[in-house]
Amino acid sequence: MTVDDTTSGLQRALDELTGATAAPSMQPVLPDDVAVGSSGTKIAQTESPHLPDTPAVVLSGPVNENWLELWYQPKIDLRQKCLAGAEAFTRIRHPDHGVLSVESYLESADEESLARLIGRALVTTLGDWTKFGDAGFNLRLAINIPVNLLLKLPISELVSEHHPKSQQWPGLIVEVTEDQFVRDPKRVRDIANQLRANGIAIAIDDFGAGYSSLSAMRELAFAEIKIHKSFVNHCATDATNAAICQTAIDLAHRFGSTAVADGIENITDLQTLQIMGCDFGQGTLLAPPMTQERFLELLQQRVSKPSAQQFVPAADGEPASSRLSA
């Protein structure tokens, strides 16, 4: 493996772990509060505070100083039109510079520091479920872990030690990208079998971007197929994207699994995916990643408004605050 291969692999791992390279939004909305007008125009949202000239940071420093935060992006049940879970993304908050861009620590990311970061993110995700559960929300959380780090980390031991003790805990979803899965399906299958005993299910992320072998997929009891955002985008108007999305949805259902559309950005695509029978969706249209505190705050707001259990498109010009009400 060359140095360039290692660098690109770490970059992919960081992109998967953080969910995006751009600064996340600080003004999220929940499922019944779709952040678009009826015409499909996205509402402008405030970016997280960080300095434009953030200095480069060696990843081992934030890991040692415990500057890790987890942000959550809601996962929406497109059939029932309600909140079904959330995916965890890592964020690093510098005491002087706020939330760092991925680029500021990417170049210094060695595999050991990345493994420690992901290990802490996994333990934090398990602990956060307890916080959500104590507040009355039984959500199935997901986290993306690169296959090479699944092999490196003692995932089963970490989960066995730190998983919630509540009988209501629905388990955790670990997402692995399709290209990583097809590279070594047997090892992924072995890991999946070990994790299943600890309440961990495997989801295939970025489906459509790699080259899956159907025979290999048949051998892996995966929980979800997550359709790559490049195919979700414009699936309402692009015939090729529509065909790929429909195929992925049908394939997931034939395997007894669920289909998740990632990166939903406009209302016509959302409606098309619902017609196709897609089970779940994520994307900035529905809600961007948000801090754990903000996520819990909005969940609690929904409980105080029992009628706000479904999401509907907002009218053009409707103020953001009103979309938190039924």
Side-chain angles (χ1 to χ4, degrees):
M1 179 179 290
T2 67
V3 173
D4 287 342
D5 289 337
T6 301
T7 301
S8 62
L10 288 172
Q11 181 168 356
R12 285 195 302 272
L14 279 169
D15 287 345
E16 292 155 11
L17 189 63
T18 56
T21 57
S25 166
M26 292 292 286
Q27 297 297 328
V29 289
L30 281 181
D32 52 334
D33 317 309
V34 176
V36 294
S38 57
S39 63
T41 303
K42 284 201 286 185
I43 306 297
Q45 297 178 348
T46 306
E47 292 188 343
S48 63
H50 69 87
L51 299 181
D53 298 322
T54 302
V57 175
V58 178
L59 181 59
S60 58
V63 172
N64 291 336
E65 297 295 332
N66 199 24
W67 294 344
L68 169 71
E69 290 184 358
L70 281 190
W71 288 35
Y72 290 92
Q73 183 173 37
K75 179 187 291 183
I76 309 307
D77 186 323
L78 300 185
R79 297 175 183 272
Q80 301 297 321
K81 300 183 179 180
C82 63
L83 183 66
E87 181 176 359
F89 296 115
T90 61
R91 298 288 184 258
I92 291 176
R93 187 181 295 275
H94 193 283
D96 298 322
H97 303 294
V99 178
L100 301 180
S101 64
V102 175
E103 292 85 351
S104 67
Y105 55 88
L106 176 61
E107 293 182 1
S108 64
D110 60 279
E111 186 169 296
E112 182 63 33
S113 295
L114 187 57
R116 291 172 59 204
L117 180 70
I118 293 178
R120 290 191 183 181
L122 173 63
V123 171
T124 302
T125 302
L126 294 169
D128 282 352
W129 182 90
T130 299
K131 294 180 182 178
F132 299 143
D134 289 346
F137 307 104
N138 186 6
L139 302 175
R140 195 172 194 188
L141 303 179
I143 186 170
N144 196 306
I145 301 180
V147 169
N148 63 311
L149 296 180
L150 273 178
L151 297 171
K152 184 180 182 67
L153 289 166
I155 300 294
S156 296
E157 290 83 350
L158 287 172
V159 173
S160 179
E161 180 180 355
H162 296 283
H163 76 77
K165 308 309 176 187
S166 170
Q167 293 184 348
Q168 300 302 314
W169 183 54
L172 183 73
I173 294 176
V174 168
E175 299 180 359
V176 298
T177 58
E178 179 190 12
D179 63 332
Q180 295 172 337
F181 160 63
V182 298
R183 216 173 289 156
D184 198 343
K186 182 179 184 304
R187 296 186 79 181
V188 175
R189 185 185 66 222
D190 291 343
I191 293 171
N193 290 335
Q194 294 172 18
L195 296 180
R196 193 176 300 116
N198 288 301
I200 308 298
I202 295 291
I204 299 177
D205 196 12
D206 288 353
F207 184 81
Y211 305 93
S212 283
S213 162
L214 293 181
S215 61
M217 289 181 65
R218 182 181 61 186
E219 296 177 6
L220 178 65
F222 57 90
E224 296 178 345
I225 284 180
K226 200 165 189 180
I227 308 169
H228 192 266
K229 60 186 177 183
S230 64
F231 302 114
V232 170
N233 195 21
H234 303 307
C235 67
T237 55
D238 185 296
T240 300
N241 284 7
I244 291 173
C245 287
Q246 186 67 73
T247 299
I249 293 166
D250 294 343
L251 185 64
H253 293 165
R254 286 184 179 275
F255 276 107
S257 303
T258 56
V260 183
D262 192 21
I264 301 175
E265 296 182 354
N266 67 71
I267 198 165
T268 54
D269 289 342
L270 170 64
Q271 293 168 337
T272 298
L273 290 161
Q274 289 175 304
I275 292 170
M276 289 179 177
C278 190
D279 302 288
F280 302 104
Q282 286 177 237
T284 54
L285 176 75
L286 304 171
M290 62 193 78
T291 65
Q292 180 244 83
E293 293 81 5
R294 179 63 170 154
F295 185 40
L296 184 56
E297 175 188 340
L298 293 182
L299 288 173
Q300 291 168 335
Q301 288 179 7
R302 288 172 60 80
V303 167
S304 67
K305 302 176 178 62
S307 58
Q309 295 303 309
Q310 293 190 327
F311 72 95
V312 294
D316 282 334
E318 182 180 358
S321 60
S322 69
R323 286 188 234 106
L324 293 173
S325 305

